[in-house]
Amino acid sequence: MPVEFAFSFAKAQAALLYLANMSLSEFTKGKACKIIFLADKQHLVKNARPVTGDWYAAMEHGPVPSRLLALLDEIEDGATSPEAIELSGALDLDRSFQYPRLLPKRKPDLSQLSESDIEALDSTVHAFGTMTFAQLRALTHETPAYEKAWSERLPQTNRGIMKFEDFFEEDGDARSGDQEEMIENSALRKAFPDPAWF
């Protein structure tokens, strides 16, 4: 059974606001999704869990954090869901550009992010934050997890579901035992959906 994580809106919002407050160049929805993907991937292969818990789709322009992208799309079109309304209260859109830029209205709630979450975000920005969306698109297209999911995509939706197990392939940052720990923890979460000790 594929590994699954629970999406945390609070962590995803904190991560997005953390990035938005770093004044990254051309910080659009697309660039935000790519940076979040790279941070989630880095954290997963080093700590056996992603930062946000979002699931990833392989789409034409690369890996996409599905829940977060849906919220950002909703903000662009007019937020109606409680989570999108909350996120729109934290972010402004500068629509003077062809692709609106994301601007923070406030600081992130850092209590939602662990020390290792912040390290992954900082490391990702240090390595990739100056890249354009086109550069990030090319980079993320080359990840084995994306390539595999894209090759297996459904023709009717033109998207594939990326498997967290594949995030470890050809990744020099992957730590020994973390993939096994991730799989074991996922099995425990499925067997005991809401244990107080987990």
Side-chain angles (χ1 to χ4, degrees):
M1 239 180 152
V3 168
E4 296 175 358
F5 293 95
F7 173 70
S8 170
F9 169 72
K11 287 176 74 70
Q13 177 174 250
L16 186 60
L17 274 175
Y18 187 79
L19 295 173
N21 274 279
M22 296 180 91
S23 302
L24 299 174
S25 62
E26 300 176 16
F27 193 59
T28 61
K29 173 177 65 176
K31 185 167 181 173
C33 286
K34 296 293 174 272
I35 296 289
I36 292 282
F37 163 70
L38 291 165
D40 265 345
K41 182 180 186 302
Q42 181 185 115
H43 198 278
L44 178 72
V45 302
K46 289 184 173 181
N47 300 283
R49 69 164 178 83
V51 175
T52 68
D54 210 343
W55 67 272
Y56 282 86
M59 298 180 70
E60 181 181 357
H61 293 294
V64 171
S66 299
R67 294 282 304 276
L68 186 58
L69 177 62
L71 290 169
L72 291 171
D73 285 344
E74 189 180 341
I75 289 172
E76 281 190 359
D77 298 334
T80 56
S81 72
E83 288 180 342
I85 290 169
E86 183 177 337
L87 190 57
S88 68
L91 288 171
D92 258 332
L93 290 180
D94 183 347
R95 296 179 186 267
S96 64
F97 296 92
Q98 179 183 3
Y99 300 106
R101 308 286 170 86
L102 303 175
L103 303 171
K105 291 182 181 177
R106 59 177 171 80
K107 298 290 185 189
D109 178 0
L110 294 180
S111 70
Q112 296 296 330
L113 299 172
S114 70
E115 186 176 318
S116 62
D117 293 336
I118 292 170
E119 285 174 7
L121 291 164
D122 285 344
S123 174
T124 301
V125 167
H126 178 74
F128 310 110
T130 60
M131 288 186 172
T132 65
F133 173 75
Q135 291 170 320
L136 289 166
R137 180 185 185 277
L139 173 75
T140 57
H141 266 68
E142 295 174 0
T143 59
Y146 171 80
E147 289 178 341
K148 185 173 181 182
W150 185 247
S151 71
E152 298 171 352
R153 67 190 182 278
L154 301 172
Q156 62 270 29
T157 62
N158 206 31
R159 70 175 61 190
I161 297 174
M162 296 175 67
K163 296 182 178 79
F164 287 110
E165 296 90 328
D166 297 333
F167 282 36
F168 289 80
E169 284 188 35
E170 298 177 29
D171 193 308
D173 289 332
R175 293 190 323 185
S176 177
D178 277 350
Q179 185 176 23
E180 293 77 13
E181 180 183 344
M182 174 193 72
I183 292 167
E184 183 178 314
N185 287 343
S186 179
L188 284 170
R189 283 192 299 273
K190 289 172 185 171
F192 305 100
D194 195 20
W197 51 267
F198 194 73

